[in-house]
Amino acid sequence: MIGTIYKCEICGLKSSSPVRWFVIHCSDSKLGVYKWDTHEADKPHALHYCGEAHAQVYISRWFESFCGSPLMHGTK
């Protein structure tokens, strides 16, 4: 999309052409990490990160919340 501004979920940096960014799609049981691609970035609920370190912060938080959930421990 022309003129679209993307914002990093961690630091708030904004860019209209985030070449080195990552896109993450996630749900309660699935996590998808993609190198920047406008097709992936423009999908509903896509999360944007301005670099590998910030993407890793989100991934670590996702694993902590998922692996610590009652679902993973066999309880409801």
Side-chain angles (χ1 to χ4, degrees), residues 35-73:
K35 283 199 168 195
W36 187 262
D37 174 307
T38 54
H39 175 72
E40 292 297 331
D42 291 336
K43 287 183 177 179
H45 310 294
L47 303 173
H48 308 112
Y49 298 89
C50 66
E52 185 177 344
H54 286 178
Q56 287 177 352
V57 167
Y58 179 81
I59 292 167
S60 294
R61 290 176 184 170
W62 184 87
F63 276 115
E64 284 176 10
S65 67
F66 183 71
C67 294
S69 73
L71 177 67
M72 288 298 294
H73 295 289

Side-chain angles (χ1 to χ4, degrees), residues 6-18:
Y6 301 96
K7 181 178 175 184
C8 177
E9 301 287 335
I10 300 295
C11 71
L13 180 70
K14 295 178 182 179
S15 178
S16 61
S17 59

